Amino acid sequence: MEKILEIDDLHVHFTTYGGTVQAVRGVSLYLNKGETLAIVGESGSGKSVTSNSIMQLIPSPPGKIVKGSIRFKGRDLVRTSKKEMRAIRGVDISMIFQDPMTALNPTLTVGDQLTEGLKQHTSISTDSAKQKAIDMLRLVGITDPESRFKQYPHQFSGGMRQRIVIAMALICEPDLLIADEPTTALDVTIQAQIMELFSEIQEKTGVSIILVTHDLGVVARVADRVAVMYGGKIVETGDKDAIFYNPQHPYTVGLLHSVPRLDMQEAVLQPIDGTPPDLFAPPQGCPFTARCAHAMQVCANVYPPATNLSASHQVECWLQDARANRAASLMKR
Amino acid sequence: MAIYLIRRFLIMIATIFVIATLTFILMHSIPGNPFTTQDRSTSEAVQENLNAHYHLDEPMLIQYGIWLKSLMTFDFGPSIKQPTETVNDLLSRGFPISAELGMWTITIALLSGITLGVLAALKHNGIIDYIAMTLAVLGISVPNFILATLLIQQLAVNLQLLPAATWSSPMHMIMPIIALATGPTAIIARLTRSSMLEVLTQDYIKTARAKGLSPAKIVIKHALRNALMPVVTILGTLVAAILTGTFVIERIFAIPGMGKYFVESINNRDYPVIMGTTVFYSAFLIFMLFLVDVVYSILDPRIKLHKKGGS
């Protein structure tokens, strides 16, 4: 399958008065054409920073990509000039942000905001831009798009606004859509509708999607592959089924256990005890060591190398390392 | 919209009526009348004749009625101290000059204040930011009459670049406008900067950047419009401040505007002129505040002046 995006060893640092935050510490991932990759993890794990890096939207200063490459259709976005990057944003790669209530400019009409990107990047006439925007609004399920076109964001509900944001992101027919927690600010019924919309749009347009979320329910619904992030690193990545039915990293297991289930017998959820690592001074070894029930001496000192469990399932954990089995069998003797 | 305008107009009339009444009460609660001041040479009989001529011997309520009548007909009668001229003459002669000064001031204050504020916000914590904000603090702290005298001393007396006073050519206008506009410019610059900084962190700015728009377009189309809301809000107060500023500045630069008549009329207790200028100033200010509200609703579609229509 053709890889549309390849991130290799990405490091992103933020310089603050309190020191340097190492938000992303060596992330490598890829995205195939037409598939949906979900990046999951708790707050501060670096998933949003990773997705913003692809768009080169890290506020700089304080943020800086210190190492690594992001190859999009063979082109390294880290080394692309600002001007060239502007021609890529919105056209080849689009982004959807978390809160639809604030993602639209309150003083401009929805139609204006929909068409301005189109007008910026193509020499389209005002009339055909309008027609395209109206078609787009219809595609995302806005009724009566002709009159809605002239309205302002405050005249729409939250779910409607997120649909408009999605229409805005798709209007230039991008190859890659990055959705940064697109459903977090919406209520549950609307969440389901929006996720359904994503699937529909992917079917119609063949767009590749990176979905950043901490909601595993959303992941289960739409993702093809999942990357689990923790402490600025991808600790486990694999097909959706492998992650959900055969999780190998203790953090992934903990994450799955902390989701409420209908078939759950116990009355309480199992949270992951402890707090995420301090990324001002990230631990030398595995960042999950302090919270891991299976932590060993080696975990605190050396970061585990990636272990291939199958062609698509990878985990970075000493428990899965080939040497761990050997050690275990030695101990048994 | 029509209903709103009519309602708003009625409220404006009521406000002016209240101001007129308060002015009347205040004016007459000061002991004495226009003829009791310096000139003691007039005889009793002449005094009485004068009082009768200006209806000052009538009961207060009658005088109030006469005043209201003159207000309704926009005819404030002749000035007491300069009997050859009516109040309307003074207003029509002084107002265009004051208005010219005021409008130039507000235009220049808005243009330079907004530009400085935006530049400072875009170069946040850079050299431009520090220079602009130092200038702004200076501009707010130095009163306009100090600035005016300093300008005269330097530009007119020492360097002899500009004429020191009066109002007859564009060259004459430079110093008064600078003196009057510096304070408002500083206020507008600081306000624009802080609200611009806030707006630039908003999600919709990030959305605009994610669309691949050019920085100029993001700043002008997406950020500035939202950042100007607080500036428009204080515009009403600012107009009032500039208006009071004109009294002082007109005096310093010997500009024959309305301010001169206003201040002199109070010293002279020239009743018709006091009443005429006060009502005129208040009507002007109220109208400006109304304009500010209109501009506000144009800038922000969420604010509606009227309940029906629009959506």
Side-chain angles (χ1 to χ4, degrees):
Chain A
M1 223 184 293
E2 192 192 337
K3 283 178 185 167
I4 188 167
L5 181 81
E6 246 180 311
I7 300 179
D8 186 42
D9 199 27
L10 182 72
H11 287 73
V12 185
H13 290 184
F14 288 86
T15 315
T16 67
Y17 289 115
T20 301
V21 183
Q22 302 178 21
V24 172
R25 307 184 294 138
V27 161
S28 301
L29 55 81
Y30 66 92
L31 179 69
N32 291 323
K33 207 172 162 70
E35 78 171 352
T36 301
L37 170 72
I39 304 180
V40 297
E42 59 195 32
S43 304
S45 60
K47 52 194 195 308
S48 283
V49 175
T50 305
S51 58
N52 279 322
S53 300
I54 300 171
M55 280 292 252
Q56 301 290 304
L57 280 178
I58 300 284
S60 169
K64 195 173 188 317
I65 296 176
V66 289
K67 200 178 156 196
S69 67
I70 300 169
R71 299 197 80 78
F72 173 74
K73 294 207 273 186
R75 193 167 175 191
D76 189 354
L77 300 181
V78 178
R79 278 147 201 95
T80 304
S81 75
K82 278 185 182 172
K83 203 179 159 199
E84 286 172 314
M85 202 57 224
R86 279 209 295 279
I88 291 174
R89 283 186 203 134
V91 183
D92 296 308
I93 311 176
S94 272
M95 195 154 181
I96 294 167
F97 298 102
Q98 180 171 348
D99 190 356
M101 305 310 268
T102 57
L104 292 166
N105 191 327
T107 58
L108 299 172
T109 62
V110 161
D112 191 359
Q113 297 187 60
L114 272 164
T115 52
E116 65 175 350
L118 206 56
K119 286 182 190 158
Q120 168 94 18
H121 299 296
T122 59
S123 50
I124 194 168
S125 73
T126 310
D127 281 344
S128 30
K130 182 179 176 182
Q131 196 47 52
K132 193 156 185 195
I134 288 172
D135 291 344
M136 216 62 225
L137 285 175
R138 198 172 282 125
L139 176 74
V140 297
I142 303 258
T143 49
D144 193 14
E146 282 86 0
S147 61
R148 287 298 217 170
F149 184 83
K150 293 184 220 91
Q151 293 188 346
Y152 289 95
H154 70 275
Q155 291 164 302
F156 292 83
S157 67
M160 284 290 187
R161 284 193 218 185
Q162 193 62 302
R163 283 169 193 269
I164 290 165
V165 171
I166 293 169
M168 218 158 74
L170 292 172
I171 197 159
C172 289
E173 293 159 9
D175 300 312
L176 172 58
L177 179 66
I178 302 168
D180 190 352
E181 312 224 8
T183 56
T184 309
L186 303 171
D187 61 58
V188 184
T189 48
I190 307 293
Q191 278 183 11
Q193 290 173 13
I194 295 289
M195 287 333 293
E196 213 156 280
L197 180 64
F198 272 112
S199 307
E200 255 171 55
I201 283 167
Q202 192 166 40
E203 225 165 83
K204 278 182 197 159
T205 62
V207 65
S208 316
I209 298 177
I210 291 181
L211 185 67
V212 176
T213 183
H214 55 246
D215 185 341
L216 289 169
V218 166
V219 174
R221 194 188 289 266
V222 295
D224 297 312
R225 284 192 307 120
V226 183
V228 182
M229 278 194 82
Y230 187 83
K233 286 176 180 288
I234 290 183
V235 294
E236 185 167 6
T237 168
D239 293 336
K240 177 173 73 183
D241 287 349
I243 297 293
F244 275 92
Y245 298 111
N246 185 25
Q248 291 303 317
H249 197 284
Y251 176 66
T252 314
V253 175
L255 209 56
L256 289 167
H257 279 301
S258 63
V259 177
R261 294 164 54 140
L262 283 177
D263 59 349
M264 205 158 55
Q265 299 296 317
E266 296 139 89
V268 282
L269 292 171
Q270 293 174 16
I272 306 173
D273 288 330
T275 51
D278 173 17
L279 292 178
F280 279 107
Q284 213 182 348
C286 173
F288 193 58
T289 311
R291 303 167 78 180
C292 184
H294 312 284
M296 302 175 287
Q297 191 117 45
V298 64
C299 297
N301 297 316
V302 185
Y303 189 79
T307 308
N308 286 318
L309 299 169
S310 75
S312 59
H313 193 177
Q314 270 193 346
V315 66
E316 297 183 358
C317 178
W318 281 118
L319 293 171
Q320 303 303 327
D321 194 81
R323 284 161 283 186
N325 281 331
R326 242 182 15 237
S329 56
L330 278 174
M331 266 160 46
K332 265 184 212 155
R333 236 188 282 168
Chain B
M1 192 69 185
I3 293 170
Y4 169 79
L5 284 179
I6 291 168
R7 212 178 54 205
R8 184 74 197 235
F9 184 71
L10 289 177
I11 294 172
M12 277 155 76
I13 299 283
T15 317
I16 291 174
F17 172 75
V18 171
I19 291 172
T21 309
L22 282 175
T23 316
F24 182 85
I25 293 169
L26 284 172
M27 193 172 73
H28 282 280
S29 58
I30 305 170
N33 68 37
F35 310 110
T36 52
T37 40
Q38 315 103 350
D39 204 1
R40 304 228 165 258
S41 60
T42 45
S43 66
E44 284 280 308
V46 173
Q47 281 269 5
E48 265 169 39
N49 275 340
L50 281 170
N51 281 344
H53 180 72
Y54 289 106
H55 305 287
L56 296 177
D57 53 350
E58 309 266 8
M60 270 307 155
L61 222 56
I62 304 281
Q63 286 193 43
Y64 181 58
I66 294 170
W67 153 234
L68 284 186
K69 193 182 143 225
S70 68
L71 185 61
M72 304 286 193
T73 53
F74 298 107
D75 180 12
F76 302 103
S79 157
I80 292 178
K81 289 287 154 161
Q82 291 148 292
T84 51
E85 288 188 289
T86 65
V87 177
N88 288 357
D89 286 342
L90 297 179
L91 289 180
S92 58
R93 188 142 36 85
F95 178 66
I97 297 172
S98 294
E100 199 177 7
L101 173 60
M103 287 302 149
W104 275 113
T105 302
I106 197 110
T107 312
I108 285 170
L110 278 174
L111 285 180
S112 49
I114 290 171
T115 315
L116 267 181
V118 169
L119 285 179
L122 291 182
K123 307 280 172 200
H124 183 39
N125 285 338
I127 289 176
I128 296 180
D129 187 17
Y130 290 133
I131 293 175
M133 286 309 111
T134 312
L135 285 179
V137 170
L138 275 176
I140 292 173
S141 344
V142 179
N144 54 22
F145 52 88
I146 302 279
L147 187 64
T149 38
L150 277 175
L151 283 172
I152 294 175
Q153 172 70 30
Q154 290 306 322
L155 297 181
V157 179
N158 287 355
L159 299 173
Q160 307 214 323
L161 288 174
L162 295 168
T166 71
W167 189 257
S168 44
S169 74
M171 292 296 271
H172 288 82
M173 293 158 71
I174 295 174
M175 281 199 297
I177 291 173
I178 292 177
L180 197 52
T182 303
T185 304
I187 294 172
I188 293 173
R190 287 185 63 90
L191 204 62
T192 309
R193 172 182 177 267
S194 62
S195 90
M196 193 76 185
L197 281 177
E198 196 198 312
V199 167
L200 284 175
T201 62
Q202 295 287 322
D203 281 357
Y204 54 79
I205 298 298
K206 210 173 170 190
T207 311
R209 290 182 67 203
K211 271 186 218 170
L213 299 185
S214 64
K217 204 162 193 178
I218 292 171
V219 169
I220 293 166
K221 189 173 171 188
H222 284 269
L224 192 57
R225 191 166 172 166
N226 287 286
L228 285 186
M229 300 295 173
V231 178
V232 176
T233 313
I234 64 143
L235 212 55
T237 343
L238 220 55
V239 169
I242 289 175
L243 218 124
T244 19
T246 57
F247 300 160
V248 182
I249 293 298
E250 283 179 7
R251 189 115 204 159
I252 292 174
F253 288 98
I255 298 167
M258 255 176 81
K260 184 181 131 207
Y261 302 118
F262 185 63
V263 177
E264 275 176 9
S265 70
I266 292 169
N267 285 335
N268 293 338
R269 226 154 305 156
D270 195 341
Y271 289 167
V273 182
I274 296 179
M275 303 302 278
T277 44
T278 314
V279 169
F280 189 83
Y281 271 128
S282 16
F284 180 73
L285 244 186
I286 289 170
F287 181 67
M288 281 310 190
L289 292 178
F290 167 69
L291 276 190
V292 165
D293 281 0
V294 172
V295 171
Y296 212 63
S297 72
I298 292 172
L299 275 182
D300 190 344
R302 284 168 297 184
I303 294 165
K304 285 221 186 69
L305 294 179
H306 47 102
K307 288 237 168 75
K308 278 181 188 166
S311 61

